[in-house]
Amino acid sequence: MARVLVVEDDQFVRSALIRHLTEASHTVRSVGTALEALREVAHLGFDVVILDLGLPDLDGAEALKMLRGITQVPVIIATARDDEAEIVRLLNDGADDYLVKPFSVEHLSARMAAVLRRAGTGAGAGADRAIRAGGLVVDPLRRQAELDGRELDLTRREFDLLAFLAQRPGVVVPRRELLAEVWQQSYGDDQTIDVHLSWLRRKLGETAASPRYLHTLRGVGVKLEPPRE
């Protein structure tokens, strides 16, 4: 199962999470501050981090930004805050999912399973195989992508978008589905997708007017399809 880091300063909540996650066969470590979390992540490998926002030394939102500076490990925010604007901001800053306290263990387990599937880790992820489309190779497990033998320097969100499309070659994915699965948002501005597509195209050596891999169907969605030789 997964290697989980719980970042929670409330000892009661922390103990409950450790107990339930351990009972679910996960390997769990826990800390109560942001700085401890950064040290743990820097020295140990985790499959997912459950991050509280109300930490005593540093606000969890700042901790998230610092985590993203050193790792791409999936992060699930777990907090009592339920401000919609803050949720959107945290997701855009790199959080993979967001749970508002109180939440059930079953709810957390389901969200963890979904995040691990997307990240290519965890039981049954089935993501240990590299995805090939023409000269493009996407490896979800190692979170690496190559084009014609050259490794692509992708941001975390660019990779998530590319991997999601690569897993559905030739299938037109609606923008609403991209927002839901890649950004974990049920609503949002299409401009977010367009900007990331533009960055991806630049790194793939193509443009919207002359696409090689990423094809946009106006008003419908996006598909990844290898160029015809």
Side-chain angles (χ1 to χ4, degrees), residues 131-138 147 161-173 197 201 204 206-207 210-217 221-229:
I131 305 163
R132 299 178 184 275
L136 181 65
V137 181
V138 181
L147 178 63
L161 177 58
L162 181 64
F164 188 79
L165 292 170
Q167 288 165 350
R168 297 154 182 78
V171 176
V172 179
V173 182
L197 282 173
R201 284 194 173 105
L204 292 172
E206 62 180 62
T207 65
S210 300
R212 294 184 63 216
Y213 289 91
L214 301 176
H215 302 263
T216 301
L217 280 72
V222 185
K223 70 174 178 177
L224 185 147
E225 197 166 61
R228 297 176 181 176
E229 299 299 337

Side-chain angles (χ1 to χ4, degrees), residues 26-38:
H26 297 299
T27 301
V28 186
R29 290 179 66 90
S30 67
V31 294
T33 69
L35 292 180
E36 288 176 307
L38 290 166

